[in-house]
């Protein structure tokens, strides 16, 4: 039987997300998960719901990956709860979990392992093709991060506007994983300096596009929901900037001269926000451009 408290909290999370209130939406999903912590199947659904919000709306790939991996610790219980959920709501959290976890894994081996498990457990479209493509790229010697980057291009494009799917947070979550693992020098993430700053450039651009989309949701919701006038919108929405700004500050001290005008332009765009975005972080970043 589907726990009613869990459904209520998840439904409230969806409502908050649709209003552009990401911080509260995530908190409500975490409450939902906590309410079923002694129910392994629905706990897995809860963690998947967290992963979807983190990875496809907030752009936090590392936390999304952790949540999906946690969800898959007990696949048998997950599958049983998923069958109940799917019968009631006509969508499958288990399919969502398998469909997203491969975006954020740290190696070909884990990507193939998850794809093969998905092929056994759910009706995943083109799973056999995906597995073969991964094996071919691995055999060819393509670095894992380059394959991840290519996957990210399914969600956004800066060079070809008509090819931009507009799923900026999803693309952002993949770049988050790549940049973090490149900085910590994990296997498969070795790259040239130029590549790292190129990724950071995209990461910052994606965070701004994600914020624009979220803030528009908030503005559209205001007329029909007057209570939102008393909500601190920026504190709800600026979570999308936390990771990009943290890596930006970390990498600017070694930034090649040719890249500084690019990041100065990002800085100027962010500083035009009517609501100050992480003022302490921005102050530290601004020193690299204006002393």
């Amino acid at each position: 039987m589907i726990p009613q408290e869990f459904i209520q909290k998840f439904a409230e999370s969806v409502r908050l997300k649709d209003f552009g209130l990401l911080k509260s939406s995530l908190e409500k999903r975490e409450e939902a998960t906590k309410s079923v912590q002694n129910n392994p199947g629905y706990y897995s659904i809860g963690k998947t719901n967290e992963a979807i919000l983190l990875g496809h709306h907030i752009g936090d790939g590392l936390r999304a990956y952790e949540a999906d991996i946690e969800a898959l610790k007990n696949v048998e219980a997950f599958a049983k709860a998923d069958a109940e959920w799917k019968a009631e709501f006509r969508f499958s959290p288990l399919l969502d979990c398998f469909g997203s976890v491969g975006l954020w894994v740290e190696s070909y081996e884990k990507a193939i392992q998850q794809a093969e498990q998905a092929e056994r457990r759910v009706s995943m479209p083109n799973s056999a093709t995906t597995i073969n493509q991964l094996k071919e790229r691995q055999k060819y010697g393509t670095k894992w991060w380059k394959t991840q980057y290519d996957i990210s291009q399914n969600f956004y494009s800066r060079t070809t506007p008509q090819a931009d799917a507009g799923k900026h947070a999803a693309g952002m979550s993949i770049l988050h994983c790549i940049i973090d693992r490149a900085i910590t020098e994990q296997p498969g993430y070795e790259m040239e300096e130029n590549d790292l700053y190129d990724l950071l450039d995209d990461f910052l651009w994606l965070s701004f596009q994600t914020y624009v989309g979220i803030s528009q949701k908030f503005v559209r919701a205001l007329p029909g929901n007057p209570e939102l006038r008393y909500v601190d919108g920026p504190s709800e929405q600026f979570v999308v900037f936390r990771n990009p700004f943290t890596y930006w500050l970390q990498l600017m001290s070694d930034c090649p001269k040719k890249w500084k005008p690019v990041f100065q332009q990002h800085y100027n765009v962010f500083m035009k926000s009517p609501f100050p975005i992480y003022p302490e972080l921005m102050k530290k970043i601004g020193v690299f451009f204006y002393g």
Side-chain angles (χ1 to χ4, degrees):
M1 185 175 181
I2 303 174
Q4 289 304 303
E5 182 182 1
F6 178 80
I7 294 176
Q8 291 165 2
K9 290 182 182 296
F10 175 61
E12 177 64 10
S13 171
V14 172
R15 189 179 75 90
L16 292 166
K17 182 261 295 178
D18 290 343
F19 288 166
L21 307 182
L22 295 183
K23 182 173 175 287
S24 291
S25 178
L26 180 59
E27 289 171 353
K28 193 59 66 174
R29 291 195 189 201
E30 291 170 340
E31 287 178 18
T33 305
K34 188 175 181 180
S35 74
V36 290
Q37 60 186 347
N38 295 321
N39 182 329
Y42 280 94
Y43 176 80
S44 291
I45 291 178
K47 296 308 289 188
T48 298
N49 290 339
E50 291 175 29
I52 295 302
L53 185 66
L54 286 162
H56 292 273
H57 299 279
I58 295 175
D60 191 323
L62 292 180
R63 288 179 66 193
Y65 181 45
E66 289 175 2
D68 265 350
I69 291 299
E70 182 71 13
L72 291 168
K73 281 185 175 179
N74 191 333
V75 181
E76 296 296 337
F78 192 172
K80 184 177 179 181
D82 183 73
E84 295 177 350
W85 186 274
K86 188 163 55 174
E88 181 70 23
F89 299 111
R90 300 294 186 267
F91 74 93
S92 167
L94 184 60
L95 181 61
D96 287 344
C97 188
F98 277 126
S100 63
V101 68
L103 303 175
W104 309 308
V105 295
E106 60 265 63
S107 67
Y108 280 108
E109 290 78 13
K110 290 193 176 181
I112 292 168
Q113 179 186 22
Q114 292 295 352
E116 289 176 340
Q117 184 175 202
E119 192 174 34
R120 294 192 300 270
R121 292 281 181 177
V122 295
S123 179
M124 183 72 71
N126 304 315
S127 58
T129 301
T130 299
I131 293 167
N132 289 334
Q133 289 174 341
L134 289 170
K135 289 181 177 178
E136 282 298 315
R137 290 179 73 99
Q138 184 182 31
K139 183 179 178 181
Y140 187 72
T142 304
K143 289 183 179 177
W144 170 241
W145 78 263
K146 290 187 176 181
T147 293
Q148 269 190 308
Y149 176 76
D150 287 345
I151 293 169
S152 78
Q153 297 305 285
N154 293 317
F155 299 108
Y156 79 97
S157 173
R158 292 182 69 181
T159 57
T160 311
Q162 59 269 31
D164 185 1
K167 299 178 180 180
H168 299 120
M172 184 180 158
S173 70
I174 298 174
L175 297 198
H176 178 211
C177 294
I178 297 173
I179 291 170
D180 186 89
R181 292 163 184 163
I183 290 172
T184 55
E185 300 180 340
Q186 294 190 32
Y189 290 87
E190 305 87 356
M191 64 179 65
E192 299 295 328
E193 180 181 66
N194 190 64
D195 291 324
L196 182 57
Y197 287 94
D198 191 29
L199 290 168
L200 179 62
D201 176 27
D202 272 18
F203 197 32
L204 292 169
W205 180 84
L206 285 167
S207 71
F208 186 76
Q209 301 308 312
T210 298
Y211 168 68
V212 169
I214 295 162
S215 60
Q216 288 174 346
K217 281 186 176 183
F218 184 68
V219 170
R220 287 195 299 267
L222 277 170
N225 301 275
E227 73 276 10
L228 294 180
R229 287 179 293 180
Y230 306 103
V231 172
D232 183 355
S235 73
E236 292 281 347
Q237 299 154 4
F238 284 173
V239 291
V240 302
F241 294 125
R242 172 58 69 179
N243 291 321
F245 283 19
T246 299
Y247 294 116
W248 190 11
L249 177 61
Q250 185 176 352
L251 292 170
M252 276 311 300
S253 59
D254 296 319
C255 181
K257 187 176 180 180
K258 71 173 185 175
W259 279 103
K260 284 206 171 181
V262 172
F263 293 111
Q264 186 170 4
Q265 185 175 357
H266 281 302
Y267 178 82
N268 292 339
V269 168
F270 288 124
M271 287 300 290
K272 289 178 182 177
S273 169
F275 304 100
I277 306 170
Y278 293 128
E280 290 304 313
L281 271 174
M282 287 298 283
K283 183 178 180 181
K284 292 176 182 178
I285 293 168
V287 169
F288 294 107
F289 308 116
Y290 298 109

